[in-house]
Structures are given as C-alpha cells and as structure tokens.
Amino acid sequence: MRKQGLKLQLMSYLEIDKMKSIGTGNPVDLTKELIGCRSITPENDGAIEQVSHWLNEIGFESNILNFEEEGTDPITNLWSHMGNAGPTICFAGHTDVVPTGNLDEWSSDPFEGNEVNKEIIGRGAADMKGAIASFISATKRFVEENPDFPGSIGFIITGDEEGCAVNGTKKILKWMEDNDIVFNDCIVGEPTNPNTLGEMIKIGRRGSVNGTITVEGVQGHVAYPHLADNPIPKLITLIGKIIDKSLDEGTNHFQPSNIEITSIDIGNTATNVIPKEASANFNIRYNDNFDSQKIEKEIHKRIEDLGYNYSIKFEHSGDAFLTEPGKLTKNLSIIIEDQTGNKPELSTSGGTSDARFIKNYGNVVEFGLVGASMHKVNESASIEDIKNLTEIYYQVLKKYFY
C-alpha cells in the first residue's frame, strides 16, 4: 500500500538522457556537476536525479522519494542500495544548499563550480556536494574492484537538510523502516573539519531547543503607572534567573550545556505607552545530562518561584546523542590519520545535522570536508581535499567488508 504523502518517481528516457554520465568517476568532475544544480532548498533542479543516475550506472537500485505534507514544500529524496545481505553501511548527505547571498560579492557564478587556485568555488562545494561526489567516486572504485563484496551499501540523500528537515531524511528513514530496510552503520558527509582535512570526526551532537518566554502585563500611560502593569522589568528578571547559573560542567564527550538569549521583543513604538506584553527568545544547546523534558523542567524550575504571569513555548530540534566509539570510528580514525597525517578529534561540537534522525536506526558518525567557508560567499573546497576524502571513503569500504 502506498504511504500517504509518498510518490515513487521513475525517470523517463528523456530525463535520463539529460543526466551526465559518471564517466571515470573523478570526484572533482562530479562535484562540479552537482554544483551546477541550483538546488537551493526546497528546489532540487535535478540534483537528486543526477546522483541516482550515477549510482544506477554503478549498479545500484534507486528509489526517488517525493515527500510532502500540508504547510510544507514537497522535497525530492533518494534511497539507493547495492547488495542483499548484511552488514550494511550507508553514506548519507544532502544535495540542497543555502541561498547565495549577494551575487556581486562572488568571484564567479556560484553554480558554475570554477577552479581557482586549486579550489572549486561554488555553493555547496563544502556543504556538501563535494562529499557526495567523494561518496560516489569511492563507491564506484570499490564495487568495480570488489563486485562480490560480502554485504550491502546504501545511500540516504535528501534535498531538505538546510531547510525545515520535515520532508527529508526523517521521512526516508521511516519509509525504510516501513519497507523492512535496515542498516548497521552510517557516515554523514557533513563538513566536520574546522580548518584542515582530518581534524575532526563528529560522534554525536548536542541537543537544541529554542524557547520563547512571554510576560503579560497591562497596557497604560507612562504617567499613570499605577493604572498599568509593565511586563518589561518582569521579563528582565526572568531572563536574569534563566541565565544566572550554568546548566552543568560538561560530560566525558560533551562540552557544558549553554543558554543564549537571542532577542528581546516588545513591539512598542510609542515612548509614552507601557506595553501589554514583552517576550524574549533563547536557545539552549545541551549535552547528555538532559533530554527535552528535563531541559524544560530545568527552565521552569529556575523561574517558577517568582510568581509572574508568564508562558514559555519550546521548539525542539532533537536531543543530544552519542555514538560510542567502536569499530567504525576506530577504523575511520586510523584511515584518516594514514591519509592526512592528522589524528582526528572525536567531537560533539557544532550545530545540528541529519545524524540526529539517523542515530535512531543505526550507528552514525560524521566526516567530510573543511567547513570554514560553508554558507559564505565564495564557498570552496580544496581539490586535493576532495581527492583525499574520496580515498578515505574508499578505504573505509575496504576495511568495513574485508
């Protein structure tokens, strides 16, 4: 039975004719081709179909999955696999990119993928079309050399990571579960390295929650404060209590949890009016001392004894998670050090990624290119790094199955 909101898309011969051949599988060439797709979330512009076509040329079976739900943009995604037995390792990533910003500030067209000073310039070069190209190039070489490898390889590719992430990886994984598709391990190609390839593997991520606290008052004239109830001083006191002390001192694999006030909004343009309400937004990045329920309870605990008339709305992006270092992490670390000379740090720093969904289905780590230029004007990836990353992924496959 077809699941609601899902369409399986099969490419016509005409569409296939438009796809570029994988050719030799040079990862630099593949990166340029993917950059040429103007896949700014939620647009796809053929990026998912191109990845599917390349994998099909290698011998993979692909399902292009279109998900949508009311109030959100429809998104094109991909599940592609080779093999019918375990163990199964997956490569996961996203073809969607953030907007370009001011085009006049770019040194060249952000969707041309030009080579400048041994780097590829283009939106998505680092985050993360270069890594997807490296996935595919490494896999092509591996399956050609090892056509009877003992296991399976899968690709989980979404067009909805930079957006709201509603119709992307989360729904692919649910579709896989509904169709009894499982995997053991997964590498997400996020640009994990701050400055140099090989510096960092992400083995987890902090939890993240946005909060909006609102204080109700009574509007009135500033000259007659006894006839009004100003919510602003109360909001200031509440904020002070929320950030008054640290949440914790960190754990073995996580830095201390952190609260940041991101805005205070009154919406009052008059100088002689006490406003009716005042609100503030905050974000908490929390470690494995907390989950979504515990972090909410902690915030309420800090301010409930004040007795103010307030409300808080929480919007969670996901709890903290950790993939305990095991065989995959150990092998990846050894391979990275052999290839780059850098011993990677096992980190849980940074923002959120789709690994927060994947961790519910299998072991997941993140390793990709250098992220210093991601989301910036003149986003770039070193050609040498793309080639080295491809070799690292290739060696991961060899060590995984043999």
Side-chain angles (χ1 to χ4, degrees), residues 357-377:
F357 306 127
I358 297 169
K359 55 91 175 175
N360 295 324
Y361 297 84
N363 298 318
V364 60
V365 297
E366 301 173 59
F367 182 74
L369 291 164
V370 173
S373 67
M374 61 180 173
H375 295 201
K376 293 183 178 181
V377 168

Side-chain angles (χ1 to χ4, degrees), residues 229-245:
D229 181 12
N230 195 333
I232 299 176
K234 295 178 182 179
L235 178 65
I236 293 172
T237 301
L238 287 166
I239 292 172
K241 291 284 282 186
I242 288 174
I243 64 174
D244 182 49
K245 59 181 180 179

Side-chain angles (χ1 to χ4, degrees), residues 193-218:
N193 301 284
N195 298 294
T196 305
L197 187 71
E199 286 180 295
M200 186 176 290
I201 300 170
K202 296 289 178 70
I203 60 169
R205 294 278 187 161
R206 294 174 295 173
S208 177
V209 58
N210 291 312
T212 300
I213 182 168
T214 302
V215 182
E216 295 290 335
V218 177

Side-chain angles (χ1 to χ4, degrees), residues 207-213 258-263 280-286 292 295-296 299 312-318 352:
S208 177
V209 58
N210 291 312
T212 300
I213 182 168
N258 183 58
I259 305 173
E260 291 293 337
I261 306 300
T262 56
S263 70
N281 294 321
F282 58 91
N283 177 271
I284 308 174
R285 297 299 168 105
Y286 57 91
S292 56
I295 201 69
E296 289 188 18
I299 298 304
I312 302 182
K313 179 181 178 182
F314 293 98
E315 294 183 355
H316 293 273
S317 296
T352 59

Side-chain angles (χ1 to χ4, degrees), residues 53-61 80-83 143:
H53 184 62
W54 285 334
L55 290 171
N56 291 346
E57 285 188 286
I58 298 171
F60 278 65
E61 296 180 15
S80 190
H81 76 283
M82 173 182 283
V143 299

Side-chain angles (χ1 to χ4, degrees), residues 30-333:
L30 302 186
T31 299
K32 292 178 181 178
E33 292 293 345
L34 285 179
I35 289 173
C37 298
R38 298 173 180 263
S39 51
I40 300 172
T41 320
E43 297 301 321
N44 173 48
D45 196 33
I48 291 291
E49 289 84 356
Q50 181 63 79
V51 171
S52 175
H53 184 62
W54 285 334
L55 290 171
N56 291 346
E57 285 188 286
I58 298 171
F60 278 65
E61 296 180 15
S62 297
N63 288 328
I64 293 179
L65 308 170
N66 293 316
F67 296 113
E68 58 183 288
E69 62 181 58
E70 187 176 352
T72 64
D73 294 302
I75 298 293
T76 305
N77 306 278
L78 175 68
W79 161 252
S80 190
H81 76 283
M82 173 182 283
N84 295 306
T88 300
I89 185 171
C90 288
F91 291 116
H94 60 92
T95 53
D96 62 317
V97 297
V98 298
T100 60
N102 187 349
L103 290 174
D104 292 336
E105 295 181 6
W106 284 76
S107 61
S108 62
D109 189 318
F111 295 106
E112 286 185 355
N114 290 307
E115 291 188 27
V116 180
N117 297 325
K118 298 182 180 180
E119 293 190 332
I120 296 179
I121 306 293
R123 178 57 83 222
D127 187 18
M128 55 170 285
K129 291 180 175 181
I132 291 176
S134 297
F135 285 160
I136 297 168
S137 181
T139 302
K140 180 180 187 295
R141 177 183 168 193
F142 176 77
V143 299
E144 287 177 349
E145 294 178 359
N146 305 275
D148 300 316
F149 67 94
S152 301
I153 303 172
F155 279 76
I156 301 169
I157 308 295
T158 183
D160 190 28
E161 196 274 347
E162 299 290 6
C164 61
V166 169
N167 294 316
T169 299
K170 190 175 183 179
K171 281 193 169 69
I172 301 173
L173 293 163
K174 182 61 170 63
W175 177 85
M176 291 169 62
E177 181 180 43
D178 290 345
N179 287 275
D180 300 320
I181 300 170
V182 297
F183 63 91
N184 304 97
D185 300 283
C186 183
I187 298 177
V188 182
E190 287 291 340
T192 55
N193 301 284
N195 298 294
T196 305
L197 187 71
E199 286 180 295
M200 186 176 290
I201 300 170
K202 296 289 178 70
I203 60 169
R205 294 278 187 161
R206 294 174 295 173
S208 177
V209 58
N210 291 312
T212 300
I213 182 168
T214 302
V215 182
E216 295 290 335
V218 177
Q219 183 174 320
H221 197 294
V222 295
Y224 303 92
H226 59 289
L227 299 178
D229 181 12
N230 195 333
I232 299 176
K234 295 178 182 179
L235 178 65
I236 293 172
T237 301
L238 287 166
I239 292 172
K241 291 284 282 186
I242 288 174
I243 64 174
D244 182 49
K245 59 181 180 179
S246 60
L247 287 165
D248 56 50
E249 296 181 356
T251 63
N252 288 339
H253 290 286
F254 287 88
Q255 58 192 314
S257 302
N258 183 58
I259 305 173
E260 291 293 337
I261 306 300
T262 56
S263 70
I264 296 176
D265 304 293
I266 310 299
N268 183 18
T269 58
T271 59
N272 61 348
V273 175
I274 294 172
K276 179 181 184 299
E277 67 176 30
S279 64
N281 294 321
F282 58 91
N283 177 271
I284 308 174
R285 297 299 168 105
Y286 57 91
N287 58 39
D288 51 353
N289 280 322
F290 296 94
D291 60 24
S292 56
Q293 292 183 333
K294 287 181 180 179
I295 201 69
E296 289 188 18
K297 288 180 180 178
E298 174 63 26
I299 298 304
H300 282 296
K301 180 181 176 182
R302 293 184 173 205
I303 58 179
E304 60 189 6
D305 61 341
L306 292 173
Y308 293 158
N309 181 21
Y310 73 88
S311 63
I312 302 182
K313 179 181 178 182
F314 293 98
E315 294 183 355
H316 293 273
S317 296
D319 284 337
F321 73 91
L322 177 72
T323 298
E324 289 290 345
K327 182 179 178 181
L328 176 63
T329 307
K330 180 181 178 180
N331 288 343
L332 180 58
S333 297

